[in-house]
Amino acid sequence: MNRKCPPILITLLLLSSNPFFAQNSLKGKLVNEASEPVAFANVILLNSQDSTSVYKGVISEDNGEFSFKEVPSDKYLLKVSFVGYEEYLREISINSDKKLKKIILKEAASNLDEVTIKTRKPNITRSIDRITFDVENSTLSSGNSWDILRQTPGVIINQGQLQVRNAGVSVYINDRKVQLTADELQNLLQSYSAENISSVEVITNPPARYEAEGGAILNINTTSAISPGYKGSIEGAYTQGIVPKYLLGTSHYWKGEKLNVFANYTFSPRKEIKRDDNYINFPSDFEFDQRWQTDFERITRSQAHNANIIFDYDFDEKNKLSFSSNLLFSPNKTFDNSVSTDIATQANTAFSNFRTNSGVTTDDSNVALDLSYIHSFENGGTISAGAHYTKFNQERDQMVETNYFGNGELVNNIAFSTEAIQDINIFTAQIDLSTSLGATAFESGLKLSSIDSESGIDFFNAESLEELYDNLSDEFHYDENVYALYASASRDWEQWSAKLGLRGEYTDLLGMSFSTDELNSQEYFELFPTAYLQYRASDNHSFTLDYSRRIERPRYESLNPFRYFLNENDFNAGNPNLRAAISNNFNLNYTLMQKYFFDIYYRDNGRSPASLAFQDNQNLTIRRMQANLLESKSYGLDMLHGRSVFGWWYTQLYASLFHEENKFLAVESDNAKVTNEIDAVYTQLYNSFTLSKDGTFSGNLSFTYVSDFISGSYNFDPFSTLNIGFRKTLWNKRAELSLNIHDIFNDTNTRLTSRYLNQDNSFFACEEMRYVRLGFKYNFGNFRLKDNQRSIEAAERDRL
């Protein structure tokens, strides 16, 4: 079928090359907190689409005044820096000659008890569609990116997952999405130096230019390379939890006049132990007839290899070509599961038990390739085009054997094995345009995504190797194509700012189970509007109202109708009938003096997919599966404040009062409708300290508390985490030694309980959350260069 280019995109492409865009002037004045002029400060205009790209720069005059001439109408980031003062960062839109109010620079250095501070505190600013956590040259600049994300306002870590407002997030680096599992993401960010980070943006309601899929976005902005040269590093980390773990890595970066090359390799041999204590009460005539008490232990061994190669080639100042590749290879990853279950009567008299041993071996490979080209126009706009390809392959074998005992004697034995394979191919292509029309800034783009997934599982008798359980063996094919088009416009005037966007996505998918002949065919078109309105009553008071409509698509693995067994009575199952869910998100923010932030939010998640557990009280089984909720919503009040108590001590407090509510269908309880809801509080207190006169020795102390939480049909007991860390730079920052102690009181692990109608089961998952990590990094070459590290981009990879 011939497809015509959308008229709006043609119009924007033609206008973007028009050399007669309005040229404006920008003037302002810099003063300190005593209202004295600040002379010779650096004042820089950065491209708002790429906060690392300098458009123009000037130096303030003796009287503190500065001015820019011939500035095209567009949106920019204004950055002011000067020795002894905190860096000032502000987003502005220029559509006519503009004179700013006085910019007050705050002192960043002080002497207290003969301790000289050479770094400034982190800075938090609010713009129309995001909160920016500015950390460049701050007390957080040493260490790694994971540490910075953990302390970013509004970010929590729950069961090892990054969350904002109790929902999962997507992580971007320089607006390019990181497409890794939770463990892989943590390993990547722990090896990504914090010195290369300028800021982290928290985008709770992402604009139209971002994928409609997913929740909030954490966008890490890095500093950019200026001087040519070479730098490299080697690093290692030793982690002692219940058992030891290791990380070894090396990075190399070379910058030439036109070509930049980055290469990185990490090797992570790990052994992990997870222990669960769970129970199931199987009722009979609404009386507890049997109580199953289970002790579970899993030992995981893995040897993950991760390699990255990045090439950037600058043809000239306006044209750039980039190639990125990422290879993740985890061979022979093993899971050794040991399950011991005691069965008691209502009087707690044990009468039988069974023991299950299962072993799982997986081989994973994940190859991602990304090619992009960007052209910058004279007026400051850009047009970019990119293509992406991912090939994911997993082979998994499982062996399960269960011995049943009655009165201490072996009465039965069951053993079977499974062989499973999953092969996923993802291809995406897109084009994006940013420009301005008079006083209005525009963005527009197109994207095509194609996903082809094939998976299969076979069940065998462990002794004869003959195939059995014909109703369990299966092949599942899933094909999905998504076509997207978006456009957005933004404008500032006087005390107001507004931004409107619209994204349309047409989805065509087909899922087929060969053993059941089930066919899941869907075609649908959805519109995803975004809207932002900001009113700045004065320098000390501002209000922002925003809205977004988004979609949550099920992960590919959740669609596979396969079963993963802990034993014959306890298993996880996929659901090929999962549907995408639409959410509507509202937020009202009040900012006081750019220091105190208050957010009231409401989120209608619709029929979002969730993990639900159902016990079959007749057949004495429990299965965990992904299913669409009937309803899901949340609302709350978030509060944030950060300040320097003393020059050497920075503290940041985040608190959230929230309500979470899930309504689902109890399929093992006559399909009754069940509502699971809680009212809870979340608090996070972070402190950073500079402990030496020269700033080379620093520490941090953080505490997190959650009073209650829900996930699907489960309720969490309260849990808390206390962490402490120290960091010492050596030999003029050529080397770094770090020590971190996580979950000092071992209170992060908590019990989850699902109790309603005829369902009563619970488990306490004890993972290795308490650990001590010792790390060392050595830099060589011109190690103060800023490199071009970034991630592979492809939103569809997030569903792997």
Side-chain angles (χ1 to χ4, degrees):
M1 178 184 295
N2 293 324
R3 298 183 181 270
K4 296 182 179 181
C5 184
I8 185 173
L9 189 58
I10 295 176
T11 303
L12 296 179
L13 287 169
L14 293 175
L15 289 172
S16 66
S17 59
N18 189 338
F20 300 106
F21 277 90
Q23 303 292 309
N24 313 295
S25 65
L26 174 67
K27 297 181 180 180
K29 184 175 181 178
L30 308 178
V31 298
N32 60 21
E33 293 175 294
S35 296
E36 300 170 338
V38 178
F40 310 113
N42 293 317
V43 186
I44 300 173
L45 279 180
L46 300 169
N47 190 323
S48 66
Q49 304 305 318
D50 178 6
S51 59
T52 67
S53 176
V54 177
Y55 176 69
K56 283 187 178 181
V58 297
I59 302 295
S60 61
E61 304 292 340
D62 291 340
N63 59 1
E65 294 182 354
F66 65 89
S67 65
F68 292 90
K69 298 179 180 179
E70 297 182 354
V71 180
S73 297
D74 203 349
K75 184 173 288 187
Y76 300 90
L77 290 176
L78 178 67
K79 181 178 179 180
V80 181
S81 60
F82 191 59
V83 176
Y85 292 91
E86 296 177 10
E87 184 179 87
Y88 177 88
L89 189 67
R90 173 184 171 186
E91 186 178 58
I92 60 174
S93 291
I94 301 177
N95 46 55
S96 61
D97 292 342
K98 192 165 191 172
K99 186 175 182 179
L100 302 174
K101 295 181 180 180
K102 288 182 181 179
I103 296 175
I104 301 175
L105 299 182
K106 300 179 180 180
E107 294 185 2
S110 61
N111 290 328
L112 288 172
D113 299 331
E114 300 183 350
V115 176
T116 301
I117 307 304
K118 295 189 176 182
T119 54
R120 62 176 183 83
K121 70 175 185 178
N123 191 37
I124 304 170
T125 57
R126 173 86 193 200
S127 58
I128 190 171
D129 60 359
R130 67 197 65 194
I131 289 179
T132 301
F133 188 44
D134 180 18
V135 297
E136 187 173 11
N137 297 322
S138 74
T139 53
L140 291 175
S141 292
S142 59
N144 59 61
S145 303
W146 181 256
D147 295 331
I148 288 182
L149 281 191
R150 287 197 307 173
Q151 314 309 332
T152 298
V155 177
I156 67 175
I157 298 179
N158 177 34
Q159 303 293 306
Q161 303 284 334
L162 290 168
Q163 293 187 339
V164 170
R165 292 180 177 170
N166 316 312
V169 301
S170 299
V171 176
Y172 285 65
I173 299 178
N174 293 331
D175 272 338
R176 305 181 72 84
K177 193 170 185 178
V178 178
Q179 304 293 350
L180 297 171
T181 66
D183 290 340
E184 294 163 353
L185 174 63
Q186 182 174 349
N187 290 334
L188 170 68
L189 295 179
Q190 285 176 343
S191 63
Y192 195 112
S193 175
E195 293 180 353
N196 294 330
I197 296 180
S198 61
S199 63
V200 178
E201 297 170 340
V202 183
I203 313 173
T204 53
N205 278 348
R209 72 183 302 265
Y210 294 98
E211 300 291 333
E213 160 72 19
I217 287 175
L218 300 177
N219 182 41
I220 301 173
N221 293 311
T222 65
T223 54
S224 58
I226 299 176
S227 304
Y230 165 79
K231 74 171 184 177
S233 67
I234 55 174
E235 63 179 314
Y238 170 81
T239 302
Q240 180 63 58
I242 300 176
V243 291
K245 302 159 185 62
Y246 307 92
L247 172 69
L248 301 172
T250 180
S251 298
H252 302 272
Y253 174 68
W254 180 80
K255 177 178 175 60
E257 183 177 351
K258 291 182 176 294
L259 179 65
N260 302 338
V261 180
F262 171 78
N264 168 266
Y265 169 75
T266 58
F267 175 54
S268 306
R270 298 174 65 86
K271 179 181 179 182
E272 299 168 287
I273 295 180
K274 179 178 183 289
R275 296 188 176 106
D276 290 0
D277 168 19
N278 59 72
Y279 73 80
I280 308 172
N281 287 323
F282 289 110
S284 176
D285 297 328
F286 303 102
E287 296 290 336
F288 292 143
D289 183 57
Q290 292 188 16
R291 181 181 178 91
W292 292 30
Q293 188 75 40
T294 299
D295 292 324
F296 168 82
E297 181 180 85
R298 171 182 294 157
I299 300 177
T300 304
R301 295 177 176 86
S302 61
Q303 300 187 44
H305 304 261
N306 194 346
N308 302 271
I309 300 177
I310 299 172
F311 295 93
D312 291 331
Y313 186 79
D314 298 326
F315 295 97
D316 49 44
E317 293 182 356
K318 299 185 181 300
N319 297 280
K320 179 179 180 179
L321 183 69
S322 298
F323 171 77
S324 304
S325 64
N326 178 275
L327 170 63
L328 178 64
F329 182 48
S330 183
N332 199 33
K333 184 176 183 179
T334 62
F335 304 86
D336 294 322
N337 302 325
S338 177
V339 184
S340 175
T341 301
D342 293 322
I343 303 175
T345 63
Q346 186 178 0
N348 289 323
T349 303
F351 66 90
S352 64
N353 55 65
F354 58 90
R355 305 289 182 264
T356 300
N357 292 307
S358 68
V360 181
T361 302
T362 67
D363 289 309
D364 296 342
S365 65
N366 192 330
V367 179
L369 306 174
D370 189 84
L371 182 66
S372 63
Y373 169 79
I374 184 170
H375 171 74
S376 300
F377 299 115
E378 292 290 344
N379 72 321
T382 62
I383 185 170
S384 62
H388 172 86
Y389 175 71
T390 286
K391 184 172 182 61
F392 172 83
N393 179 266
Q394 181 185 80
E395 296 181 8
R396 171 181 288 180
D397 297 335
Q398 182 182 18
M399 177 69 185
V400 181
E401 182 177 10
T402 303
N403 293 316
Y404 293 86
F405 298 89
N407 298 320
E409 296 183 359
L410 179 65
V411 295
N412 195 13
N413 171 269
I414 296 178
F416 64 90
S417 64
T418 66
E419 294 179 0
I421 187 170
Q422 184 166 40
D423 195 6
I424 299 175
N425 292 276
I426 300 173
F427 173 77
T428 67
Q430 69 182 86
I431 182 170
D432 298 282
L433 170 72
S434 66
T435 186
S436 59
L437 295 175
T440 305
F442 278 94
E443 294 178 327
S444 184
L446 293 163
K447 182 174 181 180
L448 162 67
S449 304
S450 178
I451 299 97
D452 176 22
S453 173
E454 296 185 6
S455 51
I457 188 169
D458 293 314
F459 284 74
F460 297 93
N461 184 293
E463 295 182 357
S464 64
L465 298 182
E466 294 179 355
E467 190 167 356
L468 74 167
Y469 302 133
D470 290 337
N471 60 322
L472 296 178
S473 297
D474 195 5
E475 283 187 46
F476 184 72
H477 291 183
Y478 180 82
D479 296 316
E480 178 184 281
N481 294 299
V482 180
Y483 308 88
L485 167 68
Y486 77 90
S488 68
S490 60
R491 183 171 181 173
D492 292 345
W493 66 96
E494 296 179 352
Q495 295 172 289
W496 294 87
S497 296
K499 186 173 184 177
L500 297 174
L502 183 63
R503 187 181 186 94
E505 293 189 357
Y506 171 76
T507 303
D508 180 9
L509 66 86
L510 177 66
M512 183 169 60
S513 171
F514 283 77
S515 67
T516 62
D517 289 330
E518 288 186 33
L519 191 65
N520 178 11
S521 179
Q522 299 180 47
E523 292 185 50
Y524 57 89
F525 176 77
E526 294 286 349
L527 291 174
F528 302 97
T530 56
Y532 311 84
L533 182 65
Q534 185 179 66
Y535 173 65
R536 296 174 295 278
S538 67
D539 288 342
N540 292 330
H541 305 276
S542 70
F543 302 86
T544 304
L545 178 66
D546 53 76
Y547 163 78
S548 71
R549 187 175 191 260
R550 300 185 63 76
I551 188 171
E552 182 179 1
R553 295 186 175 94
R555 294 180 177 271
Y556 309 124
E557 186 177 25
S558 300
L559 293 164
N560 294 347
F562 303 157
R563 294 185 179 184
Y564 171 68
F565 287 84
L566 297 180
N567 56 53
E568 291 77 19
N569 301 81
D570 192 340
F571 57 88
N572 300 323
N575 182 0
N577 295 314
L578 284 174
R579 296 293 193 269
I582 300 295
S583 66
N584 291 277
N585 312 277
F586 302 85
N587 185 78
L588 175 63
N589 166 266
Y590 167 62
T591 300
L592 175 63
M593 299 186 297
Q594 282 293 335
K595 293 181 179 179
Y596 301 88
F597 304 87
F598 302 89
D599 285 88
I600 299 175
Y601 70 90
Y602 175 83
R603 187 174 66 239
D604 180 0
N605 300 307
R607 304 195 62 182
S608 60
S611 180
L612 302 175
F614 299 110
Q615 60 188 65
D616 182 340
N617 296 319
Q618 285 188 334
N619 296 312
L620 303 179
T621 62
I622 182 169
R623 73 181 187 276
R624 297 168 184 85
M625 58 180 291
Q626 287 283 322
N628 287 100
L629 299 172
L630 297 176
E631 296 177 22
S632 175
K633 63 182 179 181
S634 60
Y635 51 84
L637 169 65
D638 296 346
M639 296 161 284
L640 169 66
H641 176 59
R643 67 163 57 221
S644 288
V645 181
F646 301 108
W648 52 272
W649 177 11
Y650 171 75
T651 187
Q652 176 181 295
L653 174 65
Y654 174 82
S656 179
L657 306 174
F658 63 91
H659 174 86
E660 293 282 332
E661 184 175 322
N662 292 334
K663 183 178 291 186
F664 59 91
L665 202 64
V667 296
E668 295 291 350
S669 308
D670 296 326
N671 288 325
K673 295 180 180 179
V674 176
T675 300
N676 189 20
E677 58 183 329
I678 54 102
D679 295 296
V681 59
Y682 166 83
T683 58
Q684 181 192 62
L685 179 64
Y686 169 76
N687 300 273
S688 66
F689 310 93
T690 303
L691 303 174
S692 64
K693 295 181 180 180
D694 58 3
T696 61
F697 184 39
S698 61
N700 64 79
L701 179 70
S702 64
F703 176 75
T704 301
Y705 172 76
V706 181
S707 66
D708 202 352
F709 205 76
I710 62 174
S711 177
S713 59
Y714 280 101
N715 286 70
F716 291 64
D717 284 353
F719 59 93
S720 62
T721 306
L722 179 66
N723 306 322
I724 189 170
F726 300 95
R727 192 166 290 110
K728 173 66 175 176
T729 58
L730 308 168
W731 311 318
N732 194 25
K733 293 189 177 180
R734 187 165 290 276
E736 179 183 290
L737 186 65
S738 63
L739 174 67
N740 290 279
I741 306 174
H742 189 269
D743 194 15
I744 294 175
F745 296 119
N746 201 26
D747 285 333
T748 300
N749 293 311
T750 187
R751 178 168 290 279
L752 284 73
T753 302
S754 180
R755 184 180 295 123
Y756 63 89
L757 302 177
N758 63 348
Q759 305 283 295
D760 185 6
N761 57 86
S762 174
F763 69 93
F764 182 87
C766 187
E767 301 184 46
E768 293 183 79
M769 302 302 295
R770 180 166 60 178
Y771 59 78
V772 178
R773 176 178 291 133
L774 180 65
F776 180 78
K777 182 178 182 180
Y778 181 78
N779 303 295
F780 46 86
N782 187 7
F783 62 91
R784 290 181 174 85
L785 280 174
K786 305 301 182 183
D787 59 41
N788 62 340
Q789 289 190 60
R790 63 175 176 271
S791 68
I792 289 291
E793 177 189 21
E796 295 71 19
R797 286 169 54 85
D798 194 41
R799 295 161 61 197
L800 288 176

